[in-house]
Amino acid sequence: MIPYGRQDISDADIDAVVQVLRSDFLTQGPAVPAFEAAVGGYCRAPHAVAMNSATSALHVAYAALGLGAGDEVWTAPITFVATANAALYCGASVRFVDIDPETYVLCLDTLEAQLEQAARDGRLPKIVAPVHLAGQSCDMQRLAGLAEKFGFRVVEDASHSIGAWFGDAPVGDCRFSDICIFSFHPVKIITTAEGGLATTRDAELASKMQLLRSHGVTRDPSLMQNEPHGGWYYEQIALGFNYRMTELQAALGTSQMTRLDQFIDARHERRAVYDAELKGLPLQLPAQAAGQRSALHLYPVLVSPDAPLDRKALFDALRSAGIGVNVHYMPVYRQPYYAKGGWPQDTCPNAEDYYARAVSIPLYATLSQEDQATVIATLRRLLA
Ligand SMILES: *Cc1c(COP(=O)(O)O)cnc(C)c1O
């Protein structure tokens, strides 16, 4: 089976992990700060806080911004459930705002209209969490303008987009957001097996996130309530979690970071082949928004209404042909856990249309020419 995505592990990556195994620290040593410096440096963000997953990073980011009961997080329905779940962890509720029919990220016209209505109703969101679906960024500059006008905070779910650029700066520099989250799950752009990271420009938010990822415990005397009793002394000053990344994961991540740009270039080469070779087929190919460089985590194609096969038939035929396609994603409000909240499905027609027609075809840095040719030939045969 040709997978839809997979990691690329080099000998240098393996050596980096083995070196940690032979060292004094498996956790809470020098490798995590080194990884944070590597990602923060790449992203031009002064603060980077590594965690054991992007889900944990989202939770801690929302919590650091003070999200709680009675608050709302607004996000796109076409995302992995974690973007929304993390809001529920904080006791807040979620509202889904429809996607743009061409870029599949949060539609800012729809968002703006709904913000205006919410302002009249006196129930504006505390946080808006745009999802950079497939590696393509939401228009962060415009979103930052809305954040200023309507007084909400912005957490970017950039799980798909480390190595992407928006304008002349890397995603994660947080010039248009409070916090930006990355995931290092093996199907993403770089991997630490499991892992996530939050970047921010705000020292106080960074310090809150560091506290929350490690039990709410501090050894920094300037944060303590009491005089330290001695060298052993620490204080718990918040209710935190154990969301720490291990040294093994961080060493793998730092080694992977050295090849980040290579990975993105390889994805773009393969995207260009798909763009050229699939052009005539009854498929809507993913648009590349102007003024940015996608990380190309995914290559979702939308089956045209006049195609000889519908999405399900195409999906089944591709799987039978050994091509590991997938669907990213069913609108989160359709998940039974959310559906019991009675979310009205007719408020997100673009998300419904996307979900009815989308298939993610294989795209990853090491996808061979031969395997890609098989994917293309199979699609041509099925859709001719
Ligand atoms: C993968 C993913 C997450 C969760 O990442 P983990 O590191 O697996 O917790 C969150 N949001 C989106 C959009 C994702 O794709």
Side-chain angles (χ1 to χ4, degrees):
M1 185 77 84
I2 304 170
Y4 83 85
R6 70 161 284 140
Q7 71 276 15
D8 175 17
I9 301 296
S10 68
D11 287 344
D13 293 341
I14 293 167
D15 289 347
V17 174
V18 170
Q19 214 177 328
V20 168
L21 279 169
R22 297 190 196 284
S23 79
D24 292 337
F25 295 100
L26 301 186
T27 181
Q28 295 175 283
V32 167
F35 179 53
E36 291 172 336
V39 177
Y42 183 95
C43 295
R44 304 179 186 168
H47 308 283
V49 184
M51 277 169 265
N52 58 358
S53 72
T55 305
S56 301
L58 282 161
H59 181 191
V60 157
Y62 292 164
L65 288 167
L67 187 75
D71 294 331
E72 283 188 11
V73 172
W74 290 14
T75 189
I78 301 298
T79 185
F80 184 58
V81 292
T83 326
N85 287 349
L88 305 192
Y89 299 162
C90 296
S93 57
V94 179
R95 174 157 162 179
F96 298 101
V97 178
D98 207 359
I99 58 166
D100 179 278
E102 266 161 29
T103 58
Y104 318 139
V105 298
L106 198 62
C107 175
L108 297 190
D109 291 335
T110 304
L111 176 70
E112 186 166 10
Q114 294 190 6
L115 286 167
E116 273 159 9
Q117 184 59 49
R120 288 191 287 271
D121 299 344
R123 42 189 299 271
L124 283 164
K126 178 140 190 156
I127 295 171
V128 172
V131 179
H132 301 328
L133 194 82
Q136 182 143 264
S137 186
C138 189
D139 182 346
M140 291 304 299
Q141 189 159 11
R142 182 170 167 204
L143 183 59
L146 294 174
E148 197 165 340
K149 180 170 173 198
F150 291 97
F152 57 82
R153 312 299 289 269
V154 177
V155 175
E156 296 174 73
D157 185 342
S159 291
H160 297 182
S161 25
I162 193 161
W165 285 60
F166 178 72
D168 57 2
V171 168
D173 79 336
C174 295
R175 71 197 186 292
F176 298 123
S177 67
D178 294 285
I179 298 172
C180 181
I181 300 299
F182 297 114
S183 171
F184 310 120
H185 182 279
V187 296
K188 309 285 165 74
I189 308 291
I190 64 159
T191 191
T192 61
E194 297 283 359
L197 183 140
T199 56
T200 183
R201 294 185 167 210
D202 183 322
E204 201 177 320
L205 283 176
S207 153
K208 278 187 186 158
M209 291 194 286
Q210 281 157 357
L211 199 63
L212 291 173
R213 85 170 152 185
S214 198
H215 308 282
V217 158
T218 184
R219 288 179 182 277
D220 177 353
S222 72
L223 296 175
M224 290 180 185
Q225 315 264 303
N226 305 310
E227 273 303 305
H229 300 173
W232 65 87
Y233 191 75
Y234 60 80
E235 279 187 358
Q236 186 194 346
I237 57 172
L239 184 59
F241 312 92
N242 183 349
Y243 284 169
R244 291 188 303 258
M245 176 179 272
T246 68
E247 294 283 286
L248 289 83
Q249 291 167 303
L252 177 55
T254 303
S255 182
Q256 289 257 303
M257 275 302 287
T258 63
R259 289 186 292 148
L260 174 57
D261 286 334
Q262 253 169 271
F263 289 160
I264 307 270
D265 288 344
R267 285 172 180 272
H268 273 274
E269 282 162 24
R270 286 152 183 77
R271 170 192 62 81
V273 172
Y274 277 144
D275 284 355
E277 299 294 325
L278 301 178
K279 208 165 44 197
L281 297 180
L283 296 172
Q284 178 177 320
L285 305 183
Q288 301 301 308
Q292 57 169 289
R293 178 169 166 83
S294 173
L296 284 172
H297 166 52
L298 299 171
Y299 193 94
V301 297
L302 270 54
V303 182
S304 301
D306 60 356
L309 298 177
D310 67 8
R311 192 274 308 274
K312 183 171 188 304
L314 181 67
F315 180 97
D316 291 343
L318 287 166
R319 280 278 179 100
S320 307
I323 297 167
V325 284
N326 227 317
V327 173
H328 303 92
Y329 301 87
M330 179 167 81
V332 175
Y333 54 74
R334 279 176 168 250
Q335 295 292 349
Y337 186 82
Y338 283 86
K340 68 178 195 257
W343 181 266
Q345 309 205 347
D346 58 0
T347 57
C348 294
N350 296 338
E352 288 295 314
D353 179 61
Y354 172 92
Y355 176 58
R357 301 198 288 128
V359 184
S360 301
I361 63 175
L363 182 66
Y364 45 94
T366 56
L367 175 64
S368 69
Q369 260 182 18
E370 192 189 352
D371 282 349
Q372 190 174 20
T374 302
V375 175
I376 291 163
T378 310
L379 280 167
R380 283 195 179 145
R381 174 168 63 76
L382 292 168
L383 292 170

